[in-house]
Amino acid sequence: MSALAFEQVGVRYGDVAALDDVTLAVPNGAVMAVLGPSGCGKSTLLRAAAGLEPLASGRVTLDGRDLAGVPTHRRGFALMFQDGQLFGHMNVGRNVGYAMRARHAGRAETARRVAELLEVVGLAGYEHRAPATLSGGERQRVALARALAVSPRVLLLDEPLSALDADLRARLAADLRRILREAAVTSLLVTHDHEEAFAVADRLAVMRDGRVVQEGAIADVWAHPADAETARFLGYARVLGGDAAAAVLRAAGTAGGPSAVALRRSALRVDAGGPLAGTVRTAQAAPDQVRLTVDVDGLGTMDAVAARGAAPAVGDRVRLSVDASRTARVGAGEPG
Amino acid sequence: MDGRDLALSARRAQGRRLATLAALAALPLAVLCVFFVLPVAGMLRRGVVVDGHVDLGAVWDVLARPRTRRVVWFTAWSAAAGTAASLVLGIAAAHALYRLRTPGRAALRAALTVPFVLPTVVVGIAFREVMGPAGPLAFLGLDGTPVAILLALVFFNASVVMRGVGSAWQSMDPRPAEAAAALGATPWRVLRTVTLPALGPAIASSATIVFLFCATAFGVVLTLGGLRYSTVETEIYLLTNNLLDLPAAAALSIVQLMMVTTLLAVAGRSRRRVDVARVPPRPRGVRRGDAPAVAATLVLAALVALPLVTLVRGALRVDGGYGLDNFRALQTAGPGDALAVTATDALATSLRTAVDATWMALLIGIPIAVAVTRTSRSAAERRLRGALDGAFMLPLGVSAVTLGFGFLVTLDRPPLDLRDSPLLVPVAQALVALPLVVRVLTPVLGGIDEHQRQAAASLGAGPLRVLATVDLPVVWRPLLVAAGFAMAVSLGEFGATSFLARDDRPTLPVVVYQLISRPGAVNHGMALAASVVLAAACAVVILAVERLRVPGMDAL
């Protein structure tokens, strides 16, 4: 059953509809990522769940109970922001224990729980550090520990990893996934970064212009983007339709009706025995492969990759094969 | 270049920076020395030096007097109580008018700013009208009690808190508070554990400045407290003017100076920045939980409106009816030509003096603001700029009475015989207004990223061109605001002016005080009418600059 549900929720800022008829359900214990470009309304969705934005229409429910009239502090949620938002005038221990104290938990119990949580996020013994002395990643870990302190009914995460550099983001994403699984807490995570979404969540909702355009298990959404724009937002480099799509599908050796196909940058690979042919237009070396753009006969300009060392030069004729696992069928949408 | 050349050129650059600093500070420092340090020191010397040698025994005797102890105690507790009440109402109003979408909040914010620049004498008279036997609050029996003084102090200062805390609150990142609420903290707990600590620096800085204003209030205490309730400031006046007990006045001035210096040091330390949101949060709608803040704001609005309305009504009242007779009488010199000049002449003098005081305050204030906001390269340089900043805050806390009387006793012989100079009054007023001018300009100048100046310089702009193309476009509106404040302060200045204005060239506040000190309905009516005119002039100036919406204005 779903723990947190939005039913035809609308939120307006003056004349602008920030959320427009959003219906979405987060199953109990699931981690759902809401993915969308900035300004699509995903943060508003989070704030509406927390009770920080008044609804213009619809309702938000928790275990079937309408949350209208329940103020933020009685919802039993926890909110974690992009930059942690630790309370700068309290040390790490007091930050983590904040919710415990708000609920008048005993000193000893609070201290024990704080130590336990800091252990979970890998910061054992950090109780007396000031937030200002922590690195960005450490601050986010403390923020996570603080959010988990009172076993929230729902955890709301607003771009929790976006402020970190790439390397740290990957490591913390894996930790976040593990910690959320172990705590078995229903979570709603909003992000504009599809990698962050894939690394942490098991369900995905894609938002655009205040509406949810697609929702489902993360692998399903990944494999079947609803439309071309969604596919591009999920990190697909190109979306082909009509004859071009058919040609790619044939080359990939998969049958299928007339549908649009989305390709990742690495879907076409230089392969002497490949079914497609084209002329190399540009070549750029990357650490593990060479990225090409190729004028493919009958398809137009496409991205492709070649192994380092065996890379062709600009102007060379090459043959290409299609890696079916790096393509996706695009739903009913228009090819672009 | 080898190491020695590098060190040499670094030292030369440092030398150039200090030379610029010295050039900027030279004129203001000279003015400060001649027109502030010299008079104040002259005043203090009269108290401390007896028969050519220093005698601290006399000072000690004064401090041991029971009346002195009473005065100091009254000053301390009335300032503390006034500050506390201003904080409560000011913080509530900051919440209601800066964080909430209350109807009419822009107009209310502007209206609540007006009291700050109203002449103290005018406010004293207005409160007497409210509390007095015929006033709307006569039944409370507060006339002549310390409560009336406290209310007047809150009248002046609650808006200082409101603006200082409100501007910080307005731009404060709301997410920590939201995170706390999501963690289960009640609104009250969020306020106590997250919001107020984050506003701490803004609150502390407002509180110190308000305490300073309360502890050195002169006009209201003199008009409302009379001889019974005296603060250090009015006591200095009474000792100097009525009792000619200069050693005692000097002793009290020393006490005041030490207290003010301490407070300024505290204020300087608490003047830290609040974490500012990248996108300022939208004000939110009013909820049921906001009722206390909204109610407190209404109380404050009533506290501000009541004396002013009563004052205007009193000025319009003639023989049981209403009319403009009191205003017409301003063209005369009062019953029996008791005044040396007509009230309209005094107004003209006030305006002329205010213009002079304004350009003087800007002439001194601008170089100081520029000098103290340039980035320092070394700890010593930073300390130097900090000391400069502090030195020009001093007039804020030194009794205007001390300053005024100091002028009389030190600037009375060649080469500085200025007793008959028409510039004496504006110079004194400019010094009183100077701290406000510097306070308005420094946040804006300090907010300009040094990189912008460096970018301009790297593109070939000389120092003057940098000033014209980088600083001036940002700073012209704060300049107008500073000018407005200087003008309003000068229009209402009473403490120093009461000593320095020549009998045949009084300013309007002096005339108001003369009128209110005389018996008779006509004098009383004229005093009220003149107060209305004076208040209106100040209000017009400040509402005009309020429209410019300058950030530094709130940081006062």
Side-chain angles (χ1 to χ4, degrees):
Chain A
M1 88 163 272
S2 60
L4 178 69
F6 300 84
E7 298 172 15
Q8 297 173 315
V9 168
V11 171
R12 307 190 68 82
Y13 295 142
D15 293 337
V16 184
L19 289 184
D20 188 4
D21 195 24
V22 169
T23 296
L24 195 63
V26 188
N28 217 342
V31 179
M32 175 175 280
V34 177
L35 182 67
S38 53
C40 73
K42 58 188 191 299
S43 289
T44 306
L45 185 75
L46 209 63
R47 297 173 60 81
L52 295 166
E53 294 291 345
L55 305 188
S57 58
R59 56 185 208 145
V60 179
T61 62
L62 182 67
D63 297 332
R65 277 181 298 110
D66 191 347
L67 289 176
V70 181
T72 302
H73 64 277
R74 299 246 173 77
R75 294 198 174 189
F77 293 4
L79 192 52
M80 181 178 158
F81 288 103
Q82 181 175 6
D83 40 5
Q85 295 299 338
L86 299 183
F87 307 131
H89 57 287
M90 302 177 190
N91 64 25
V92 167
R94 291 187 64 80
N95 263 288
V96 176
Y98 185 87
M100 307 279 292
R101 285 196 306 281
R103 290 176 194 197
H104 306 290
R107 269 166 170 277
E109 191 195 344
T110 305
R112 189 183 50 73
R113 181 84 176 124
V114 166
E116 186 184 306
L117 282 161
L118 286 176
E119 179 94 45
V120 168
V121 298
L123 293 177
Y126 271 54
E127 279 90 342
H128 298 289
R129 294 278 292 273
T133 65
L134 303 180
S135 71
E138 286 168 341
R139 271 201 286 273
Q140 287 305 82
R141 287 168 191 270
V142 174
L144 181 62
R146 184 178 72 178
L148 291 172
V150 283
S151 312
R153 199 59 200 79
V154 176
L155 181 58
L156 305 167
L157 305 120
D158 190 355
E159 311 236 1
L161 306 175
S162 300
L164 308 174
D165 60 54
D167 184 37
L168 195 56
R169 193 162 59 217
R171 263 191 297 145
L172 202 51
D175 283 356
L176 187 58
R177 184 185 178 86
R178 175 183 58 79
I179 292 166
L180 294 182
R181 288 293 178 295
E182 283 170 6
V185 54
T186 308
S187 306
L188 185 64
L189 171 148
V190 309
T191 178
H192 66 269
D193 177 1
H194 60 90
E195 289 183 17
E196 184 173 318
F198 288 121
V200 180
D202 41 33
R203 291 191 74 78
L204 182 65
V206 181
M207 279 191 75
R208 205 157 61 227
D209 299 332
R211 294 169 163 277
V212 172
V213 291
Q214 191 174 5
E215 191 270 329
I218 206 154
D220 291 345
V221 177
W222 173 265
H224 302 290
D227 55 32
E229 208 170 328
T230 303
R232 272 191 289 269
F233 204 75
L234 290 172
Y236 289 93
R238 264 168 225 274
V239 180
L240 303 175
D243 292 345
V248 169
L249 285 176
R250 259 198 316 279
T254 54
S259 74
V261 174
L263 292 92
R264 302 199 77 77
R265 190 181 284 281
S266 54
L268 300 187
R269 171 165 288 279
V270 172
D271 177 353
L276 299 172
T279 309
V280 175
R281 287 283 164 243
T282 67
Q284 191 185 9
D288 44 2
Q289 57 198 0
V290 178
R291 291 181 171 174
L292 310 171
T293 52
V294 181
D295 261 348
V296 182
D297 305 342
L299 291 181
T301 306
M302 304 287 295
D303 300 296
V305 293
R308 280 182 71 92
V314 171
D316 287 357
R317 290 285 296 175
V318 290
R319 293 203 71 83
L320 302 158
S321 63
V322 179
D323 180 349
S325 70
R326 293 171 191 270
T327 66
R329 300 291 190 88
V330 179
E334 298 283 303
Chain B
M1 264 199 293
D2 67 14
R4 226 179 41 211
D5 284 346
L6 269 175
L8 197 66
S9 95
R11 212 173 312 137
R12 257 195 224 122
Q14 172 81 349
R16 257 200 315 278
R17 298 174 61 78
L18 289 180
T20 316
L21 181 61
L24 279 170
L27 172 73
L29 275 178
V31 171
L32 191 73
C33 284
V34 174
F35 293 105
F36 182 78
V37 177
L38 188 66
V40 172
M43 223 355 231
L44 298 185
R45 207 167 59 90
R46 302 224 153 193
V48 181
V49 180
V50 182
D51 298 331
H53 55 87
V54 176
D55 181 6
L56 287 173
V59 172
W60 189 248
D61 286 347
V62 174
L63 295 182
R65 284 181 200 165
R67 180 171 168 92
T68 307
R69 262 182 289 159
R70 256 202 329 274
V71 164
V72 170
W73 172 238
F74 180 76
T75 309
W77 84 253
S78 67
T83 307
S86 299
L87 280 178
V88 171
L89 290 182
I91 291 175
H95 176 65
L97 299 182
Y98 284 76
R99 206 62 199 255
L100 302 182
R101 218 165 28 242
T102 30
R105 64 202 185 100
L108 250 180
R109 275 195 278 192
L112 289 178
T113 314
V114 172
F116 179 63
V117 294
L118 287 186
T120 54
V121 180
V122 169
V123 175
I125 290 172
F127 269 83
R128 266 168 68 170
E129 285 296 299
V130 172
M131 309 288 177
L137 295 186
F139 66 94
L140 292 176
L142 295 176
D143 194 19
T145 67
V147 178
I149 297 178
L150 278 184
L151 288 177
L153 291 177
V154 174
F155 172 92
F156 274 115
N157 291 308
S159 73
V160 177
V161 177
M162 177 192 80
R163 302 184 73 93
V165 175
S167 64
W169 208 334
Q170 191 174 32
S171 56
M172 192 174 74
D173 196 331
R175 289 175 302 168
E178 291 170 0
L183 289 170
T186 59
W188 170 242
R189 196 180 177 91
V190 172
L191 184 72
R192 209 161 41 81
T193 58
V194 178
T195 310
L196 287 183
L199 288 174
I203 293 174
S205 133
S206 299
T208 27
I209 208 87
V210 164
F211 189 87
L212 205 60
F213 285 147
C214 287
T216 59
F218 176 60
V220 276
V221 183
L222 195 65
T223 39
L224 289 174
L227 288 173
R228 266 183 62 212
Y229 298 104
S230 199
T231 61
V232 174
E233 181 97 3
T234 56
E235 190 71 3
I236 292 172
Y237 174 81
L238 295 173
L239 288 170
T240 313
N241 207 30
N242 297 7
L243 307 174
L244 293 175
D245 187 352
L246 291 189
L252 282 180
S253 292
I254 291 170
V255 172
Q256 199 179 32
L257 198 59
M258 290 193 311
M259 184 191 81
V260 164
T261 318
T262 313
L263 278 174
L264 284 176
V266 173
R269 191 154 299 175
S270 65
R271 213 183 298 132
R272 277 185 293 135
R273 296 188 69 84
V274 173
D275 286 336
V276 169
R278 277 163 302 170
V279 184
R282 282 183 308 275
R284 66 168 171 80
V286 184
R287 297 183 198 143
R288 211 175 325 138
D290 300 320
V294 172
T297 310
L298 291 178
V299 168
L300 179 60
L303 177 69
V304 167
L306 191 60
L308 298 180
V309 171
T310 312
L311 182 72
V312 172
R313 207 187 57 168
L316 290 172
R317 194 190 325 259
V318 272
D319 293 337
Y322 290 97
L324 290 174
D325 299 26
N326 288 327
F327 288 92
R328 258 178 239 121
L330 294 181
Q331 291 161 347
T332 71
D337 285 337
L339 296 173
V341 298
T342 66
T344 39
D345 283 345
L347 177 63
T349 307
S350 274
L351 290 174
R352 262 198 313 276
T353 313
V355 170
D356 284 338
T358 303
W359 69 253
M360 289 177 191
L362 290 180
L363 186 70
I364 314 167
I366 292 169
I368 286 305
V370 171
V372 299
T373 50
R374 289 297 155 103
T375 356
S376 302
R377 285 286 161 73
S378 63
E381 194 183 335
R382 192 159 46 244
R383 271 198 298 278
L384 193 63
R385 291 184 200 271
L388 202 60
D389 193 17
F392 285 87
M393 287 299 112
L394 274 181
L396 198 61
V398 170
S399 159
V401 175
T402 308
L403 183 66
F405 199 77
F407 266 44
L408 284 190
V409 299
T410 51
L411 304 178
D412 59 347
R413 52 188 167 263
L416 282 169
D417 185 3
L418 298 172
R419 271 173 308 172
D420 288 330
S421 165
L423 291 183
L424 195 58
V425 173
V427 166
Q429 293 179 345
L431 282 169
V432 175
L434 186 59
L436 292 188
V437 170
V438 176
R439 268 293 142 265
V440 170
L441 294 181
T442 43
V444 182
L445 281 172
I448 299 174
D449 194 338
E450 186 68 22
H451 290 150
Q452 297 221 333
R453 298 197 187 99
Q454 290 164 356
S458 74
L459 294 171
L464 280 181
R465 197 173 176 79
V466 169
L467 208 60
T469 52
V470 177
D471 296 64
L472 201 60
V474 184
V475 116
W476 71 266
R477 289 199 309 180
L479 270 180
L480 280 180
V481 171
F485 269 115
M487 187 135 198
V489 166
S490 159
L491 279 174
E493 212 289 325
F494 177 62
T497 312
S498 61
F499 278 96
L500 299 175
R502 285 176 28 165
D503 292 341
D504 57 342
R505 275 206 303 264
T507 62
L508 198 50
V510 175
V511 165
V512 169
Y513 188 70
Q514 286 170 357
L515 285 168
I516 203 72
S517 309
R518 296 201 178 113
V522 179
N523 280 326
H524 185 72
M526 275 181 74
L528 297 186
S531 296
V532 170
V533 170
L534 193 52
C538 293
V540 165
V541 170
I542 213 61
L543 288 177
V545 298
E546 156 80 21
R547 297 196 65 82
L548 294 171
R549 299 195 180 288
V550 169
M553 238 176 113
D554 293 324
L556 272 180

